[in-house]
Amino acid sequence: MDARNSTRAYGGIARLFHWTVAALILAAIALGLYAGNLPRGNEAQLQAIFAAFSWHKTVGVAALLLALLRILWTLTQRKPRPLHPGRRLELFVAEAVHWALWIGMVIMPLTGWLLHSAAPGGFSRILWPLGQRLPFVPQDAALSERIAHFHSTGWWVLAGLIVLHVAGALKHAFIDRDGTLSRMAGDPAKAPEPPASQVSTLPHLLAAIAAIVIWIGTAIIAASGAETAAPVAATAQPAAGWAVEQGALGIEVAQGGSPISGQFGSWQAAIDYDPDARGGHVAVKIDITSLSLGAVSDNAKGPDFLNATQFPTAEFKADILPPATEGGPHLARGTLSIAGKSVPAELPFSLEIAGEEAKAKGEMKIDRRDFGIGAGYADESTVGFPVTIRFDLTAKRQ
Ligand code: HEM
Ligand code: HEM
C-alpha cells in the first residue's frame, strides 16, 4: 500500500493516523466517563478515581500529539476525490462533520490539558516524565472550572459527530455499497476511481464555517451552563447595623486536580459598619452541616475533614478596616474558627454602598492543614491544601 494518498484512497500513513487517533479518542471518552462515575467514598476509592483520571489524561495527551502530527501530514497530502460529487448536500454534511472532527480532536484534549494546568493544588498526573502544566496558564480555580464546563459539554458534541461520521461510513458500506470504506480501511485496490470533478472552494469553505459554528455554539452553551450553576441564595439572618438580604458563601478546593466548589446553605452574619468611618465589625456563623459540595458533600462533612458532628459551626469574627488605598478593598481582620481550631485570618473584600443598600464581595485562601482538616491526607494528590472561601452578599441598613 502506498504511504501517500492517491486520488482514490487514503495512503498508509493517513490510515495509521486515522485509526490510532480514533481509537485514542474513543478510549479517552470511555476513561473520562468511567473515572467520573466511579464511587467516591474512602481513600482507596478516591485513589482509584485519580488513577483512572491519570489514564484519561495520558491517553488524551497522546491523542492531541498524534492529532497535531496528523494535521501536519494531511497538509502535505492531496485528498482523494469525492466519490459522488453530484450529491452536494451529502458531501457538504460529510465535510462539515470532518471539519468539526478536526477541531474536536484538538480542542477536546487541549481544554482537558488547560483545565488540568489551571487547577491549583494537587492533581492526578499525566503519566509521563515531561511537564504537567502548560506554560502561560495561570493557576486559577475559577478559570479551571470554566474550562471544565466546556470540556464536559464538548465531549457530547464530539461523540455526536463521531456517531454521525460512523453512520455515514456504514451507510456507504451497507446501503450504497460503493467502496467508500476501502478508501480508509482494507484493500485500497477495492476503492473505485472517483469521477473527475471540478474543484470549487466555496462548499469547502461553507463546511468549515459550519464546523466552527458548531464549536462556538458548544462554547456558548457551556458558558451559559456555568452561569446557571452560580450562587444560590442563603438563609442569612438579619443582624444589628446591616441585615443580609441575599448572599452566597462558598468554598473551592482541588480534588484530584479538578477544582470542586460548594455552598453553605445556612449562615448568619452580624454586621456593624459605619460608612463615614469606613470601619466596623463582623461576626459570621456558618452551619457546617449545610455544606453541599457535589458528590463529596458527605466526605467533606465527615470525620476525616470538617467533622460536622463534633464541630457543627464555624465562625469568623473580625474588625472591618478601611481600605489601605483609595478605591482599594476593605479588610476584615480577625479569627477564623473551623473544626475546633482558631487561626488569624484576613479577608479582603470590595464594598459598594448605594443609599441604604450595600453590596460586598470577597475571598480568602486558607490552608486546610492549619485547621487539622484532612490530616490523614498528608499530600495533595487527593485533596489540595489551599481552600478558597468566597462570599457575595447584599445587605440593607437597619
Ligand atoms: C470508529 C469508526 C470510524 C469509521 C468507520 C471511520 C471511517 C472513515 C472513512 C471511511 C473515512 C474516509 C471518508 C472519505 O473517503 O471521504 C474517514 C475519514 C475521516 N475520519 Fe473517520 N472513521 C471512524 C472514526 C473516526 C473518528 C473517531 C474520528 C475523529 C475523531 C475520525 C475522523 C475522520 C476525519 C477527520 C476524516 C477525514 C480525513 C481526511 O479528509 O483527511 N474518524 N473515516
Ligand atoms: C481526546 C481527548 C479527550 C476527550 C474526548 C475527553 C473527554 C472527557 C470526558 C467524556 C470526561 C467526563 C466528562 C463528564 O463526566 O462530564 C472528561 C473529564 C475530564 N477530562 Fe477529559 N477528555 C480528553 C482529554 C483530556 C486531557 C488531555 C486532559 C488533561 C490533561 C483531560 C482532563 C479531564 C479532567 C480533569 C476531567 C474531569 C473534569 C471535571 O471534573 O469536570 N481530558 N474528559
Side-chain angles (χ1 to χ4, degrees), residues 15 18-19 35 116 226 290 296-297 341 345 348:
R15 288 165 179 237
H18 176 269
W19 293 111
H116 168 84
S290 74
V296 290
S297 298
K341 285 227 167 68

Side-chain angles (χ1 to χ4, degrees), residues 288-302:
I288 293 293
T289 61
S290 74
L291 174 66
S292 65
L293 189 63
V296 290
S297 298
D298 291 341
N299 289 72
K301 289 182 271 191

Side-chain angles (χ1 to χ4, degrees), residues 22-167:
L24 288 171
I25 285 180
L26 293 174
I29 294 179
L31 281 165
L33 294 177
Y34 170 72
N37 288 301
L38 280 171
R40 287 157 192 250
N42 54 35
E43 166 85 32
Q45 285 173 326
L46 288 178
Q47 290 300 353
I49 293 174
F50 300 141
F53 267 120
S54 277
W55 278 107
H56 169 74
K57 293 175 180 182
T58 309
V59 168
V61 167
L64 175 64
L65 299 179
L66 277 176
L68 294 176
L69 287 176
R70 179 178 174 192
I71 288 169
L72 289 180
W73 173 253
T74 304
L75 291 175
T76 69
Q77 299 294 297
R78 66 180 150 187
K79 236 170 109 76
R81 283 203 308 266
L83 262 186
H84 313 284
R87 299 188 196 165
R88 295 251 185 97
L89 181 64
E90 198 176 307
L91 198 59
F92 173 79
V93 174
E95 287 241 317
V97 170
H98 284 173
W99 275 109
L101 285 170
W102 283 117
I103 298 174
M105 73 178 85
V106 173
I107 212 164
M108 278 305 295
L110 192 60
T111 51
W113 205 350
L114 283 171
L115 85 90
H116 168 84
S117 298
F123 44 68
S124 47
R125 299 168 63 79
I126 303 165
L127 304 170
W128 70 358
L130 306 176
Q132 293 289 324
R133 297 188 190 272
L134 286 167
F136 312 117
V137 181
Q139 282 178 40
D140 175 344
L143 174 69
S144 178
E145 203 175 348
R146 252 180 287 137
I147 306 172
H149 261 280
F150 180 91
H151 196 71
S152 302
T153 312
W155 83 264
W156 285 99
V157 175
L158 183 59
L161 291 165
I162 294 173
V163 167
L164 283 176
H165 178 67
V166 174

Side-chain angles (χ1 to χ4, degrees), residues 12 142 176 183 247 285:
D176 299 343
R183 288 152 63 96
K285 277 198 168 148

